[in-house]
Structure formats: structure tokens, C-alpha cells
Amino acid sequence: MNLVRTFSDARASYKGTVALVPTMGFFHEGHLALMTAAQNSADTVVVSHFVNPLQFDNPADLERYPRDVERDMTIAEEAKVDVLFAPTSVEMIPQTPLTAVTVDGLTDTMEGVMRPGHFAGVATIVTKLFAGLQPHLAFFGRKDAQQLAVIRRLVLDLSFPVRVLAHPTVRESDGLALSSRNTLLTSEERLAARELSQGLFAAVTAVEAGERNGPRLESIVRGALHSSRPDYGELASQDRVERLSELDRPSFLAVAARVGKVRLIDNIAFDLAAGEVVADRGLRLKHPSLLYR
Ligand code: AMP
């Protein structure tokens, strides 16, 4: 594996087609799944590793975000990643940017409301990664459904020659979506964190029984939150991220809640196949995550 710190060193180590997996590090099996999907689709896999300060609206959250580059290098090496791009902050943000990428409309709900400036921070850094690393493909997790919509739209609007591919959410065996932030939970909070996925799966059961009403599905999700403090539970369209009164198109049911000091998000995507609604439940680990290794 090549560990590189600059865009030009990353580009100099490419062979053939290039797939990018953007991350903020502290790897777990969700990241590994994106790396494997990238390996199956391209000759060179470049994983970016950068805790993006522009996307944190809360300085304490940025401060607390788990970091361990040595650990991540070992994991990336084991995963046979070709290039680990771990830029210095000067390489990534040489000067306070006077240019920002904002994606309107899609960011007026959910995370866009709860975390002002968050998506502009994400979109600006992802644009820099696309410009500096010039990948043919880029892999993102469905775990961050609104982010995925934002990235797809910025690629369309700015004509980036990048194909965006999405991967299902990887979950612990009890359903909790993997997140680097899970390492910040106490054991009591870890139990409470199950409420997010439990609510989503209860809503999936209702959908399978024929429920299509948006507000009723949202109230099932919110109704599961007892020990965690809800920020929102919303059904929205996958492309425009517009709140839906009926599940009648590709959509996702999303939840965000605070468990202690840790803010967690999760969602289940609903796709339509031959007129049928199909829930993407994600993938479940059979063993505890490497987050706790
Ligand atoms: P992060 O390092 O949390 O910014 O995530 C980097 C990429 O991994 C993003 O595209 C996320 O959507 C994706 N990701 C994070 N958690 C998961 C998960 N549990 N399952 C699948 N993808 C994930």
C-alpha cells in the first residue's frame, strides 16, 4: 500500500481505472465494504482519510471525533487498499476557502437543518477530492442517505466525470449501524443506541404489512426512541430529499437521535422493483465490529 500525503503523489501511483472511497477514518466494516466494492470495480483503489473540519458545525464534536491513523493504516494494508491518501490539513485546505460548494433544496431538511453548513462542508471537500484525485468511480454508503443525494446532485450539476456508487449500510449483529462515533458510547448508551434501528425495522414490518402513510411510518420510528433524544424521524424521497406523505417512490426513512453526548443517524432505503416496495435492510455482522478491536 502507498501512503501518500499529496494529490499529485496519489495520482502518480495509479494504474488503470481508479475508484475513490472518501472517509474520515477510524475504519469499521462499513468502510471495508466500500473498499471491497471498489476493488471489485476498478484497478486502483484510493481511500481518502481526512477528518473534514468544514463539515463540523459543533467544535466539541470535531474535537471528540475518534482518530487513529496508525490503526487505520494497518487495517487498510490488511484490506489491500492500493493508495491511502491521508493529506495534511495544508494540502487539503491551503488557505481559508473563499470558494464553497452548496447544494440547495436537498439540504433544507433533516441533517441540513440540524447541522447548518454541514453539507456545504461535505460538498466542498468532496469536490476537492474529485478535482484533486480524479477518480473514475466513487463509493459512498447508504448509511448517509441525504449525503448520497447531495453528492449525486453535485456530480450532475458540476459535470464531474465520476460514477457514484452506493453501498448498503453495514450493521452490528443487533442492528446498530456501524459508525466511528459508536466508540464514544458508554455500555449503557450502546444499549440505548439500538432504539434507532429497532424503530426503523418496526417501520419496515409495517411497510411489509402494507403501510404506506409517511407520518404513520415516521411515528413508528420516533415511538421507539425512549432513552435517546430524537432530532427527527422523516420519510423523504431519495433524489430530492423531499418529505413524503406517501411511500410511493424510491425513498428513505431516516432517524437522528442523541444518545448521551453522541449524535447518531440511521435510515432504511425503500426501492421500487416491479411496483413492489423493497426495503434495503443493509448487512449484519456475525461478530463484534473491528471498532472494538
Ligand atoms: P465516514 O468516515 O463516517 O465519513 O464515512 C465514509 C463513508 O463510509 C461514507 O460514504 C459513509 O456513508 C460510509 N459509511 C459509514 N458508515 C457506514 C456503514 N455502517 N455502512 C456502510 N457505509 C458506511
PDB file of all heavy atoms in Angstrom, residues 108-139:
ATOM      1  N   ASP A 108     -32.402  21.275   2.706  1.00  0.00           N
ATOM      2  CA  ASP A 108     -33.328  22.082   3.520  1.00  0.00           C
ATOM      3  C   ASP A 108     -34.034  21.267   4.592  1.00  0.00           C
ATOM      4  O   ASP A 108     -34.890  21.794   5.305  1.00  0.00           O
ATOM      5  CB  ASP A 108     -34.412  22.726   2.635  1.00  0.00           C
ATOM      6  CG  ASP A 108     -33.814  23.723   1.664  1.00  0.00           C
ATOM      7  OD1 ASP A 108     -32.660  24.126   1.886  1.00  0.00           O
ATOM      8  OD2 ASP A 108     -34.501  24.073   0.690  1.00  0.00           O
ATOM      9  N   THR A 109     -33.749  19.960   4.638  1.00  0.00           N
ATOM     10  CA  THR A 109     -34.422  19.103   5.611  1.00  0.00           C
ATOM     11  C   THR A 109     -33.382  18.360   6.451  1.00  0.00           C
ATOM     12  O   THR A 109     -32.190  18.401   6.162  1.00  0.00           O
ATOM     13  CB  THR A 109     -35.284  18.034   4.882  1.00  0.00           C
ATOM     14  OG1 THR A 109     -34.441  17.383   3.933  1.00  0.00           O
ATOM     15  CG2 THR A 109     -36.480  18.626   4.178  1.00  0.00           C
ATOM     16  N   MET A 110     -33.845  17.682   7.443  1.00  0.00           N
ATOM     17  CA  MET A 110     -33.073  16.732   8.266  1.00  0.00           C
ATOM     18  C   MET A 110     -31.682  17.235   8.639  1.00  0.00           C
ATOM     19  O   MET A 110     -31.553  18.232   9.335  1.00  0.00           O
ATOM     20  CB  MET A 110     -33.024  15.379   7.538  1.00  0.00           C
ATOM     21  CG  MET A 110     -34.422  14.828   7.342  1.00  0.00           C
ATOM     22  SD  MET A 110     -34.453  13.124   6.792  1.00  0.00           S
ATOM     23  CE  MET A 110     -34.420  13.341   5.060  1.00  0.00           C
ATOM     24  N   GLU A 111     -30.612  16.549   8.176  1.00  0.00           N
ATOM     25  CA  GLU A 111     -29.258  16.935   8.596  1.00  0.00           C
ATOM     26  C   GLU A 111     -28.935  18.379   8.199  1.00  0.00           C
ATOM     27  O   GLU A 111     -28.187  19.070   8.894  1.00  0.00           O
ATOM     28  CB  GLU A 111     -28.210  15.996   7.976  1.00  0.00           C
ATOM     29  CG  GLU A 111     -28.254  14.590   8.516  1.00  0.00           C
ATOM     30  CD  GLU A 111     -28.091  14.553  10.023  1.00  0.00           C
ATOM     31  OE1 GLU A 111     -26.963  14.745  10.507  1.00  0.00           O
ATOM     32  OE2 GLU A 111     -29.099  14.339  10.722  1.00  0.00           O
ATOM     33  N   GLY A 112     -29.511  18.819   7.086  1.00  0.00           N
ATOM     34  CA  GLY A 112     -29.275  20.192   6.629  1.00  0.00           C
ATOM     35  C   GLY A 112     -29.801  21.211   7.619  1.00  0.00           C
ATOM     36  O   GLY A 112     -29.217  22.297   7.793  1.00  0.00           O
ATOM     37  N   VAL A 113     -30.904  20.874   8.287  1.00  0.00           N
ATOM     38  CA  VAL A 113     -31.497  21.780   9.279  1.00  0.00           C
ATOM     39  C   VAL A 113     -30.773  21.648  10.613  1.00  0.00           C
ATOM     40  O   VAL A 113     -30.458  22.647  11.270  1.00  0.00           O
ATOM     41  CB  VAL A 113     -33.004  21.448   9.470  1.00  0.00           C
ATOM     42  CG1 VAL A 113     -33.619  22.306  10.554  1.00  0.00           C
ATOM     43  CG2 VAL A 113     -33.742  21.582   8.156  1.00  0.00           C
ATOM     44  N   MET A 114     -30.491  20.397  11.004  1.00  0.00           N
ATOM     45  CA  MET A 114     -29.895  20.154  12.326  1.00  0.00           C
ATOM     46  C   MET A 114     -28.435  20.596  12.391  1.00  0.00           C
ATOM     47  O   MET A 114     -27.927  20.904  13.453  1.00  0.00           O
ATOM     48  CB  MET A 114     -29.968  18.656  12.693  1.00  0.00           C
ATOM     49  CG  MET A 114     -31.343  18.043  12.730  1.00  0.00           C
ATOM     50  SD  MET A 114     -32.557  18.934  13.708  1.00  0.00           S
ATOM     51  CE  MET A 114     -31.773  18.962  15.300  1.00  0.00           C
ATOM     52  N   ARG A 115     -27.749  20.559  11.237  1.00  0.00           N
ATOM     53  CA  ARG A 115     -26.314  20.865  11.217  1.00  0.00           C
ATOM     54  C   ARG A 115     -26.040  21.929  10.150  1.00  0.00           C
ATOM     55  O   ARG A 115     -25.558  21.616   9.052  1.00  0.00           O
ATOM     56  CB  ARG A 115     -25.504  19.596  10.924  1.00  0.00           C
ATOM     57  CG  ARG A 115     -25.801  18.449  11.878  1.00  0.00           C
ATOM     58  CD  ARG A 115     -24.947  17.238  11.577  1.00  0.00           C
ATOM     59  NE  ARG A 115     -23.535  17.465  11.871  1.00  0.00           N
ATOM     60  CZ  ARG A 115     -22.554  16.614  11.551  1.00  0.00           C
ATOM     61  NH1 ARG A 115     -22.827  15.502  10.921  1.00  0.00           N
ATOM     62  NH2 ARG A 115     -21.301  16.886  11.862  1.00  0.00           N
ATOM     63  N   PRO A 116     -26.334  23.196  10.471  1.00  0.00           N
ATOM     64  CA  PRO A 116     -26.161  24.255   9.463  1.00  0.00           C
ATOM     65  C   PRO A 116     -24.718  24.262   8.930  1.00  0.00           C
ATOM     66  O   PRO A 116     -23.771  24.188   9.692  1.00  0.00           O
ATOM     67  CB  PRO A 116     -26.467  25.540  10.242  1.00  0.00           C
ATOM     68  CG  PRO A 116     -27.252  25.094  11.437  1.00  0.00           C
ATOM     69  CD  PRO A 116     -26.790  23.711  11.763  1.00  0.00           C
ATOM     70  N   GLY A 117     -24.583  24.335   7.627  1.00  0.00           N
ATOM     71  CA  GLY A 117     -23.254  24.390   6.998  1.00  0.00           C
ATOM     72  C   GLY A 117     -22.630  23.025   6.770  1.00  0.00           C
ATOM     73  O   GLY A 117     -21.626  22.911   6.055  1.00  0.00           O
ATOM     74  N   HIS A 118     -23.221  21.979   7.359  1.00  0.00           N
ATOM     75  CA  HIS A 118     -22.625  20.641   7.260  1.00  0.00           C
ATOM     76  C   HIS A 118     -22.453  20.193   5.805  1.00  0.00           C
ATOM     77  O   HIS A 118     -21.356  19.791   5.385  1.00  0.00           O
ATOM     78  CB  HIS A 118     -23.504  19.641   8.027  1.00  0.00           C
ATOM     79  CG  HIS A 118     -23.169  18.207   7.773  1.00  0.00           C
ATOM     80  ND1 HIS A 118     -22.001  17.637   8.221  1.00  0.00           N
ATOM     81  CD2 HIS A 118     -23.833  17.225   7.090  1.00  0.00           C
ATOM     82  CE1 HIS A 118     -21.962  16.358   7.842  1.00  0.00           C
ATOM     83  NE2 HIS A 118     -23.056  16.091   7.166  1.00  0.00           N
ATOM     84  N   PHE A 119     -23.524  20.305   5.017  1.00  0.00           N
ATOM     85  CA  PHE A 119     -23.446  19.776   3.653  1.00  0.00           C
ATOM     86  C   PHE A 119     -22.576  20.638   2.738  1.00  0.00           C
ATOM     87  O   PHE A 119     -21.972  20.114   1.790  1.00  0.00           O
ATOM     88  CB  PHE A 119     -24.844  19.570   3.060  1.00  0.00           C
ATOM     89  CG  PHE A 119     -25.521  18.341   3.615  1.00  0.00           C
ATOM     90  CD1 PHE A 119     -26.726  18.432   4.288  1.00  0.00           C
ATOM     91  CD2 PHE A 119     -24.927  17.088   3.482  1.00  0.00           C
ATOM     92  CE1 PHE A 119     -27.337  17.297   4.805  1.00  0.00           C
ATOM     93  CE2 PHE A 119     -25.531  15.950   4.007  1.00  0.00           C
ATOM     94  CZ  PHE A 119     -26.739  16.053   4.665  1.00  0.00           C
ATOM     95  N   ALA A 120     -22.490  21.927   3.020  1.00  0.00           N
ATOM     96  CA  ALA A 120     -21.556  22.757   2.241  1.00  0.00           C
ATOM     97  C   ALA A 120     -20.131  22.288   2.523  1.00  0.00           C
ATOM     98  O   ALA A 120     -19.292  22.204   1.612  1.00  0.00           O
ATOM     99  CB  ALA A 120     -21.723  24.230   2.603  1.00  0.00           C
ATOM    100  N   GLY A 121     -19.849  21.937   3.780  1.00  0.00           N
ATOM    101  CA  GLY A 121     -18.528  21.412   4.145  1.00  0.00           C
ATOM    102  C   GLY A 121     -18.246  20.091   3.451  1.00  0.00           C
ATOM    103  O   GLY A 121     -17.153  19.876   2.919  1.00  0.00           O
ATOM    104  N   VAL A 122     -19.238  19.210   3.432  1.00  0.00           N
ATOM    105  CA  VAL A 122     -19.087  17.912   2.758  1.00  0.00           C
ATOM    106  C   VAL A 122     -18.885  18.134   1.253  1.00  0.00           C
ATOM    107  O   VAL A 122     -17.946  17.605   0.644  1.00  0.00           O
ATOM    108  CB  VAL A 122     -20.330  17.017   2.988  1.00  0.00           C
ATOM    109  CG1 VAL A 122     -20.287  15.778   2.106  1.00  0.00           C
ATOM    110  CG2 VAL A 122     -20.463  16.629   4.459  1.00  0.00           C
ATOM    111  N   ALA A 123     -19.785  18.933   0.654  1.00  0.00           N
ATOM    112  CA  ALA A 123     -19.761  19.112  -0.805  1.00  0.00           C
ATOM    113  C   ALA A 123     -18.457  19.779  -1.244  1.00  0.00           C
ATOM    114  O   ALA A 123     -17.888  19.429  -2.287  1.00  0.00           O
ATOM    115  CB  ALA A 123     -20.975  19.931  -1.252  1.00  0.00           C
ATOM    116  N   THR A 124     -17.967  20.722  -0.453  1.00  0.00           N
ATOM    117  CA  THR A 124     -16.722  21.420  -0.819  1.00  0.00           C
ATOM    118  C   THR A 124     -15.540  20.453  -0.789  1.00  0.00           C
ATOM    119  O   THR A 124     -14.727  20.414  -1.723  1.00  0.00           O
ATOM    120  CB  THR A 124     -16.485  22.613   0.141  1.00  0.00           C
ATOM    121  OG1 THR A 124     -17.612  23.494   0.039  1.00  0.00           O
ATOM    122  CG2 THR A 124     -15.215  23.373  -0.210  1.00  0.00           C
ATOM    123  N   ILE A 125     -15.458  19.645   0.262  1.00  0.00           N
ATOM    124  CA  ILE A 125     -14.322  18.713   0.364  1.00  0.00           C
ATOM    125  C   ILE A 125     -14.424  17.593  -0.670  1.00  0.00           C
ATOM    126  O   ILE A 125     -13.432  17.218  -1.295  1.00  0.00           O
ATOM    127  CB  ILE A 125     -14.187  18.164   1.810  1.00  0.00           C
ATOM    128  CG1 ILE A 125     -13.650  19.252   2.737  1.00  0.00           C
ATOM    129  CG2 ILE A 125     -13.298  16.918   1.865  1.00  0.00           C
ATOM    130  CD1 ILE A 125     -12.211  19.711   2.461  1.00  0.00           C
ATOM    131  N   VAL A 126     -15.630  17.078  -0.892  1.00  0.00           N
ATOM    132  CA  VAL A 126     -15.770  16.011  -1.904  1.00  0.00           C
ATOM    133  C   VAL A 126     -15.433  16.562  -3.292  1.00  0.00           C
ATOM    134  O   VAL A 126     -14.789  15.888  -4.107  1.00  0.00           O
ATOM    135  CB  VAL A 126     -17.174  15.369  -1.843  1.00  0.00           C
ATOM    136  CG1 VAL A 126     -17.415  14.445  -3.028  1.00  0.00           C
ATOM    137  CG2 VAL A 126     -17.342  14.586  -0.534  1.00  0.00           C
ATOM    138  N   THR A 127     -15.817  17.806  -3.551  1.00  0.00           N
ATOM    139  CA  THR A 127     -15.448  18.440  -4.832  1.00  0.00           C
ATOM    140  C   THR A 127     -13.927  18.521  -4.959  1.00  0.00           C
ATOM    141  O   THR A 127     -13.355  18.226  -6.020  1.00  0.00           O
ATOM    142  CB  THR A 127     -16.079  19.850  -4.922  1.00  0.00           C
ATOM    143  OG1 THR A 127     -17.495  19.687  -4.920  1.00  0.00           O
ATOM    144  CG2 THR A 127     -15.659  20.588  -6.176  1.00  0.00           C
ATOM    145  N   LYS A 128     -13.248  18.894  -3.875  1.00  0.00           N
ATOM    146  CA  LYS A 128     -11.776  18.960  -3.898  1.00  0.00           C
ATOM    147  C   LYS A 128     -11.186  17.566  -4.124  1.00  0.00           C
ATOM    148  O   LYS A 128     -10.203  17.416  -4.864  1.00  0.00           O
ATOM    149  CB  LYS A 128     -11.240  19.562  -2.592  1.00  0.00           C
ATOM    150  CG  LYS A 128     -11.502  21.075  -2.499  1.00  0.00           C
ATOM    151  CD  LYS A 128     -11.217  21.600  -1.105  1.00  0.00           C
ATOM    152  CE  LYS A 128      -9.739  21.672  -0.772  1.00  0.00           C
ATOM    153  NZ  LYS A 128      -9.029  22.782  -1.435  1.00  0.00           N
ATOM    154  N   LEU A 129     -11.781  16.548  -3.501  1.00  0.00           N
ATOM    155  CA  LEU A 129     -11.283  15.174  -3.699  1.00  0.00           C
ATOM    156  C   LEU A 129     -11.468  14.741  -5.154  1.00  0.00           C
ATOM    157  O   LEU A 129     -10.579  14.128  -5.749  1.00  0.00           O
ATOM    158  CB  LEU A 129     -12.007  14.197  -2.762  1.00  0.00           C
ATOM    159  CG  LEU A 129     -11.679  14.336  -1.272  1.00  0.00           C
ATOM    160  CD1 LEU A 129     -12.604  13.438  -0.438  1.00  0.00           C
ATOM    161  CD2 LEU A 129     -10.220  13.974  -0.980  1.00  0.00           C
ATOM    162  N   PHE A 130     -12.629  15.069  -5.738  1.00  0.00           N
ATOM    163  CA  PHE A 130     -12.871  14.699  -7.138  1.00  0.00           C
ATOM    164  C   PHE A 130     -11.892  15.444  -8.054  1.00  0.00           C
ATOM    165  O   PHE A 130     -11.338  14.870  -8.991  1.00  0.00           O
ATOM    166  CB  PHE A 130     -14.311  15.016  -7.550  1.00  0.00           C
ATOM    167  CG  PHE A 130     -15.350  14.073  -6.971  1.00  0.00           C
ATOM    168  CD1 PHE A 130     -16.708  14.346  -7.090  1.00  0.00           C
ATOM    169  CD2 PHE A 130     -14.969  12.901  -6.323  1.00  0.00           C
ATOM    170  CE1 PHE A 130     -17.665  13.481  -6.586  1.00  0.00           C
ATOM    171  CE2 PHE A 130     -15.924  12.028  -5.796  1.00  0.00           C
ATOM    172  CZ  PHE A 130     -17.274  12.315  -5.932  1.00  0.00           C
ATOM    173  N   ALA A 131     -11.674  16.727  -7.773  1.00  0.00           N
ATOM    174  CA  ALA A 131     -10.790  17.532  -8.623  1.00  0.00           C
ATOM    175  C   ALA A 131      -9.335  17.083  -8.468  1.00  0.00           C
ATOM    176  O   ALA A 131      -8.601  16.959  -9.442  1.00  0.00           O
ATOM    177  CB  ALA A 131     -10.932  19.013  -8.259  1.00  0.00           C
ATOM    178  N   GLY A 132      -8.917  16.824  -7.244  1.00  0.00           N
ATOM    179  CA  GLY A 132      -7.503  16.524  -6.977  1.00  0.00           C
ATOM    180  C   GLY A 132      -7.135  15.075  -7.244  1.00  0.00           C
ATOM    181  O   GLY A 132      -6.004  14.772  -7.619  1.00  0.00           O
ATOM    182  N   LEU A 133      -8.086  14.163  -7.040  1.00  0.00           N
ATOM    183  CA  LEU A 133      -7.775  12.729  -7.188  1.00  0.00           C
ATOM    184  C   LEU A 133      -8.283  12.148  -8.511  1.00  0.00           C
ATOM    185  O   LEU A 133      -7.843  11.078  -8.922  1.00  0.00           O
ATOM    186  CB  LEU A 133      -8.363  11.927  -6.017  1.00  0.00           C
ATOM    187  CG  LEU A 133      -7.765  12.263  -4.648  1.00  0.00           C
ATOM    188  CD1 LEU A 133      -8.533  11.564  -3.523  1.00  0.00           C
ATOM    189  CD2 LEU A 133      -6.280  11.867  -4.579  1.00  0.00           C
ATOM    190  N   GLN A 134      -9.194  12.837  -9.154  1.00  0.00           N
ATOM    191  CA  GLN A 134      -9.702  12.466 -10.485  1.00  0.00           C
ATOM    192  C   GLN A 134     -10.077  10.982 -10.615  1.00  0.00           C
ATOM    193  O   GLN A 134      -9.610  10.290 -11.519  1.00  0.00           O
ATOM    194  CB  GLN A 134      -8.668  12.852 -11.545  1.00  0.00           C
ATOM    195  CG  GLN A 134      -8.410  14.342 -11.527  1.00  0.00           C
ATOM    196  CD  GLN A 134      -7.330  14.779 -12.509  1.00  0.00           C
ATOM    197  OE1 GLN A 134      -6.818  13.998 -13.305  1.00  0.00           O
ATOM    198  NE2 GLN A 134      -6.983  16.041 -12.442  1.00  0.00           N
ATOM    199  N   PRO A 135     -10.914  10.487  -9.709  1.00  0.00           N
ATOM    200  CA  PRO A 135     -11.312   9.073  -9.808  1.00  0.00           C
ATOM    201  C   PRO A 135     -12.333   8.868 -10.931  1.00  0.00           C
ATOM    202  O   PRO A 135     -13.027   9.806 -11.313  1.00  0.00           O
ATOM    203  CB  PRO A 135     -11.981   8.812  -8.450  1.00  0.00           C
ATOM    204  CG  PRO A 135     -12.569  10.148  -8.093  1.00  0.00           C
ATOM    205  CD  PRO A 135     -11.604  11.188  -8.619  1.00  0.00           C
ATOM    206  N   HIS A 136     -12.387   7.624 -11.439  1.00  0.00           N
ATOM    207  CA  HIS A 136     -13.450   7.278 -12.391  1.00  0.00           C
ATOM    208  C   HIS A 136     -14.733   6.914 -11.650  1.00  0.00           C
ATOM    209  O   HIS A 136     -15.829   7.140 -12.140  1.00  0.00           O
ATOM    210  CB  HIS A 136     -13.018   6.085 -13.259  1.00  0.00           C
ATOM    211  CG  HIS A 136     -11.757   6.336 -14.017  1.00  0.00           C
ATOM    212  ND1 HIS A 136     -10.509   5.967 -13.560  1.00  0.00           N
ATOM    213  CD2 HIS A 136     -11.555   6.961 -15.198  1.00  0.00           C
ATOM    214  CE1 HIS A 136      -9.587   6.330 -14.433  1.00  0.00           C
ATOM    215  NE2 HIS A 136     -10.193   6.938 -15.438  1.00  0.00           N
ATOM    216  N   LEU A 137     -14.560   6.273 -10.484  1.00  0.00           N
ATOM    217  CA  LEU A 137     -15.700   5.829  -9.676  1.00  0.00           C
ATOM    218  C   LEU A 137     -15.525   6.354  -8.258  1.00  0.00           C
ATOM    219  O   LEU A 137     -14.399   6.544  -7.790  1.00  0.00           O
ATOM    220  CB  LEU A 137     -15.743   4.296  -9.592  1.00  0.00           C
ATOM    221  CG  LEU A 137     -15.680   3.491 -10.878  1.00  0.00           C
ATOM    222  CD1 LEU A 137     -15.585   1.989 -10.551  1.00  0.00           C
ATOM    223  CD2 LEU A 137     -16.925   3.753 -11.705  1.00  0.00           C
ATOM    224  N   ALA A 138     -16.641   6.551  -7.558  1.00  0.00           N
ATOM    225  CA  ALA A 138     -16.551   6.929  -6.140  1.00  0.00           C
ATOM    226  C   ALA A 138     -17.644   6.186  -5.383  1.00  0.00           C
ATOM    227  O   ALA A 138     -18.791   6.119  -5.844  1.00  0.00           O
ATOM    228  CB  ALA A 138     -16.703   8.429  -5.967  1.00  0.00           C
ATOM    229  N   PHE A 139     -17.267   5.615  -4.251  1.00  0.00           N
ATOM    230  CA  PHE A 139     -18.189   4.780  -3.461  1.00  0.00           C
ATOM    231  C   PHE A 139     -18.605   5.498  -2.181  1.00  0.00           C
ATOM    232  O   PHE A 139     -17.752   6.000  -1.447  1.00  0.00           O
ATOM    233  CB  PHE A 139     -17.535   3.432  -3.132  1.00  0.00           C
ATOM    234  CG  PHE A 139     -17.459   2.531  -4.324  1.00  0.00           C
ATOM    235  CD1 PHE A 139     -16.469   2.701  -5.276  1.00  0.00           C
ATOM    236  CD2 PHE A 139     -18.408   1.540  -4.523  1.00  0.00           C
ATOM    237  CE1 PHE A 139     -16.411   1.889  -6.406  1.00  0.00           C
ATOM    238  CE2 PHE A 139     -18.364   0.717  -5.648  1.00  0.00           C
ATOM    239  CZ  PHE A 139     -17.365   0.897  -6.585  1.00  0.00           C
TER     240      PHE A 139
END
